[in-house]
Amino acid sequence: MEKKHMSAFELYKTLSPDLPPTATKSPLQVANKKKRKKENGASKVSPIKAQIKPERKPERKKMRKTSAQREESLNEITKDEERVNGHGEAGEALDALLADLTKVNNSKERASKLFQWFINPIPVKSFFRETWEKKPILVQRKNPDYYKGLFSTAEFDRILRQDEVQYGVNLDVTSYTNGKRETHNPPGRALPFTVWDFYESGCSLRLLNPQAFSSTVWNVLSTLQEQFGSMAGANVYLTPPGTQGFAPHYDDIEAFVVQLEGKKHWRVYSPRSEDEVLPVLSSTNFNQTNIGKPILEVVLEAGDLLYFPRGFIHQGDCLPDAHSLHITVSSFQKNSWGDLLHKVVPAALEIAMEEDVEFRQGLPLDYLTYMGVQNSDKDDPRRTKFFSRVEHLMKKLTTYAPVDAAVDQKARVFLHDCLPPMLTPEELATSVLGASARWEHGQVMDVGAKITAKTRVRVLRGGCARLCSDGEAVHLYYTTENSRVYHKEQLKSFEIKVEHTDAIEFLIHSYPKFVTVGSFPCDSAEDRITLAELLFERGIIHTADAL
């Protein structure tokens, strides 16, 4: 299908729908004119809405392969280079690991240690060098308790009973029979009586945002997002024995399939063409006839991990003798060089047209007579000259590219996507959330704890705040007041006085060290205290000792 053409300026306008309104110039233009001060914009990614259909209970189907056939096929196509054997790895209990990580001073280091546990025994450096975005990899541990505590069917049931789970928003009911994928979401709240009836009828259940209901999943994802520099999301899938919930497809995210309970038969296929390597968008559902043969076929058991990059087609089905519960952790959606250039190029073109007369000079009077598709086969020297001019302007365009400002736009989107940090007990006790002010015995108690010049403070997380310029004003964007529900809250920011920007940069660059308020590079002692109180009240900084 031919793609609809969009002008550079029109494309640029679609990239930042919630920028503050400006009179004539884009914020990136202003950023460039001011010696490329940091600036930020936003580009929302709309979540895919579930297909809503009337309630229907599909007939339960069983896999037709015998156990011997399945075992034979798995033995034939599982390759040594696709398997990392973790036999004998006991694995540190997740709750103990998370408790130990609270003692790690640097949130970046904390994220790296958690990710190492997540993919153990594969070293993190070799994973990103040899596997990331390149090929699937399988970790079989023979340890069903390796991921114990991350999520469970019992927790799924508790969430249905105690929390406000909505069909199509938090939960999808799906089936895949006779080559047809269907969604069976009735309207309203998902209650156990109906949900478990769907499950017993052979439907798969997909919990779309488990981090909103599970503190452990929230903790893991909010930590891992600092490892990826991109939002870390998750879905939980519960599938009855002998069924399949989804058609073969590929995704636009890097996927880590973590088997929590039972087992599941997976098939992974290479991208069908170069055009589908690291795709920009997820695919539609495929038929079995147009995806070829799998490059990896395996039965995941509890404690196992399967990773595959975006663009690799995959499908999973349950064996007749066991249910399956797995969680897919995902990241790196719309985080490519091309996504960055989507922001850089239109803004660079606007700046170039304003500042460079070469970009404003008119096209040749007769260019329509020798350019365009109908003239593409002509052997005309004017065509060579035309292409040469375009190439010259494209090279020159790079000198006007506001790369730092565009990176800040990407960062602003990331900060909006982020989960809020889950505080350790020490962080809670030394942050605004742990302040001792309260109502007791008919009066307010412990109000008025003061920050002084000797108070030692630091930002709450390495990536929880970012200083950017929006046109003429400087804003601080932060994640500490985000929701555990994706984009439930607007992106949080507030304007920073110009004389305070050096102090904010000083704080961010000092992490993970604590610094005294008195060391802030501000004009006066009063400014230092005022700024520290503002950041403390927003939950952006915490103190070394409780106030």
Side-chain angles (χ1 to χ4, degrees), residues 20-33:
T22 57
T24 56
K25 298 179 182 179
S26 75
L28 290 188
Q29 279 182 282
V30 176
N32 188 68
K33 298 285 281 184

Side-chain angles (χ1 to χ4, degrees), residues 176 244 246-250 266-273 276 283-296 311-317:
Y176 179 70
Q244 181 169 338
F246 295 88
H249 66 282
Y250 63 71
W266 282 91
R267 286 166 284 176
V268 181
Y269 309 76
S270 290
R272 300 179 304 169
S273 68
E276 293 181 357
S283 73
T284 56
N285 294 332
F286 294 123
N287 295 319
Q288 297 290 342
T289 55
N290 59 9
I291 58 176
K293 294 182 178 180
I295 60 167
L296 175 63
F312 278 76
I313 300 167
H314 53 278
Q315 60 180 323
D317 57 84

Side-chain angles (χ1 to χ4, degrees), residues 89-98 100-101 109-124 139 141 143-151 216 219-221 223-224 227 256 258-260 303-305 327 329:
E89 291 287 345
E92 186 176 2
L94 180 56
D95 56 351
L97 172 66
L98 294 176
D100 287 343
L101 289 179
E109 184 182 346
R110 195 179 304 164
S112 180
K113 288 180 179 293
L114 178 60
F115 186 64
Q116 179 61 81
W117 169 85
F118 195 71
I119 64 171
N120 189 60
I122 308 170
V124 170
V139 178
R141 295 194 174 92
N143 177 9
D145 293 331
Y146 190 85
Y147 293 111
K148 186 176 181 180
L150 181 54
F151 199 83
T216 302
N219 193 354
V220 168
L221 295 183
T223 302
L224 288 179
Q227 172 70 35
F256 297 84
V258 176
Q259 191 70 26
L260 300 173
D304 292 347
L305 172 72
I327 184 169
V329 174

Side-chain angles (χ1 to χ4, degrees), residues 341-370:
L341 290 176
H342 264 304
K343 299 181 180 298
V344 173
V345 174
L349 188 57
E350 286 188 62
I351 295 166
M353 290 188 70
E354 179 180 303
E355 298 185 1
D356 192 329
V357 68
E358 258 199 289
F359 287 87
R360 302 197 299 271
Q361 289 173 347
L363 292 163
L365 295 176
D366 58 347
Y367 81 102
L368 293 177
T369 64
Y370 58 86

Side-chain angles (χ1 to χ4, degrees), residues 140 207 282 314 364 406 484 512 523 530:
Q140 292 179 308
L207 188 61
S282 296
H314 53 278
R484 288 161 64 178
D523 293 336
T530 300

Side-chain angles (χ1 to χ4, degrees), residues 142-434:
K142 303 300 181 185
N143 177 9
D145 293 331
Y146 190 85
Y147 293 111
K148 186 176 181 180
L150 181 54
F151 199 83
S152 66
T153 306
E155 187 169 10
F156 202 150
D157 182 70
R158 177 194 63 74
I159 289 168
L160 291 174
R161 295 179 185 282
Q162 298 179 4
D163 293 304
E164 186 74 20
V165 178
Q166 293 286 324
Y167 288 109
V169 178
N170 312 114
L171 183 73
D172 279 335
V173 179
T174 68
S175 65
Y176 179 70
T177 55
N178 300 321
K180 186 178 181 181
R181 154 82 160 82
E182 292 186 90
T183 301
H184 309 276
N185 291 337
R189 182 178 173 183
L191 292 167
F193 180 84
T194 308
V195 171
W196 294 124
D197 187 42
F198 273 124
Y199 177 83
E200 283 296 295
S201 299
C203 288
S204 289
L205 308 176
R206 174 171 64 178
L207 188 61
L208 296 170
N209 50 348
Q211 63 272 17
F213 307 104
S214 165
S215 293
T216 302
V217 175
W218 167 31
N219 193 354
V220 168
L221 295 183
S222 66
T223 302
L224 288 179
Q225 67 193 9
E226 289 202 55
Q227 172 70 35
F228 298 124
S230 177
M231 183 190 77
N235 288 335
V236 168
Y237 299 83
L238 180 61
T239 311
T243 69
Q244 181 169 338
F246 295 88
H249 66 282
Y250 63 71
D251 296 312
D252 60 347
I253 47 88
E254 302 299 298
F256 297 84
V257 178
V258 176
Q259 191 70 26
L260 300 173
E261 295 176 10
K263 52 189 175 181
K264 199 165 196 177
H265 169 227
W266 282 91
R267 286 166 284 176
V268 181
Y269 309 76
S270 290
R272 300 179 304 169
S273 68
E274 283 295 317
D275 293 340
E276 293 181 357
V277 174
L278 303 179
V280 176
L281 299 173
S282 296
S283 73
T284 56
N285 294 332
F286 294 123
N287 295 319
Q288 297 290 342
T289 55
N290 59 9
I291 58 176
K293 294 182 178 180
I295 60 167
L296 175 63
E297 185 168 8
V298 68
V299 173
L300 284 190
E301 299 185 1
D304 292 347
L305 172 72
L306 173 63
Y307 160 80
F308 44 82
R310 54 196 190 276
F312 278 76
I313 300 167
H314 53 278
Q315 60 180 323
D317 57 84
C318 263
L319 305 181
D321 59 342
H323 78 287
S324 169
L325 180 75
H326 80 266
I327 184 169
T328 297
V329 174
S330 61
S331 191
F332 242 58
Q333 185 182 56
K334 297 189 182 303
N335 211 39
S336 68
W337 284 102
D339 291 304
L340 176 63
L341 290 176
H342 264 304
K343 299 181 180 298
V344 173
V345 174
L349 188 57
E350 286 188 62
I351 295 166
M353 290 188 70
E354 179 180 303
E355 298 185 1
D356 192 329
V357 68
E358 258 199 289
F359 287 87
R360 302 197 299 271
Q361 289 173 347
L363 292 163
L365 295 176
D366 58 347
Y367 81 102
L368 293 177
T369 64
Y370 58 86
M371 296 304 298
V373 174
Q374 70 180 31
N375 301 310
S376 59
D377 293 331
K378 281 187 176 182
D379 185 13
D380 190 322
R382 294 176 298 175
R383 288 180 58 82
T384 302
K385 185 177 180 181
F386 193 95
F387 280 117
S388 178
R389 182 65 180 275
V390 170
E391 183 180 359
H392 164 72
L393 292 174
M394 291 294 288
K395 288 180 179 178
K396 197 174 186 181
L397 189 62
T398 60
T399 62
Y400 298 99
V403 176
D404 282 330
V407 167
D408 278 346
Q409 278 198 350
K410 289 287 294 175
R412 189 170 183 250
V413 174
F414 171 46
L415 293 176
H416 191 197
D417 292 345
C418 272
L419 285 165
M422 183 173 177
L423 305 190
T424 67
E426 291 77 12
E427 290 168 342
L428 181 62
T430 56
S431 73
V432 67
L433 295 177

Side-chain angles (χ1 to χ4, degrees), residues 44-62:
K44 292 187 178 179
V45 178
S46 299
I48 299 173
K49 294 183 179 178
Q51 179 185 2
I52 306 296
K53 290 190 175 182
E55 178 177 341
R56 193 160 75 100
K57 298 177 184 178
E59 183 178 344
R60 196 165 178 173
K61 300 288 184 182
K62 300 289 185 182

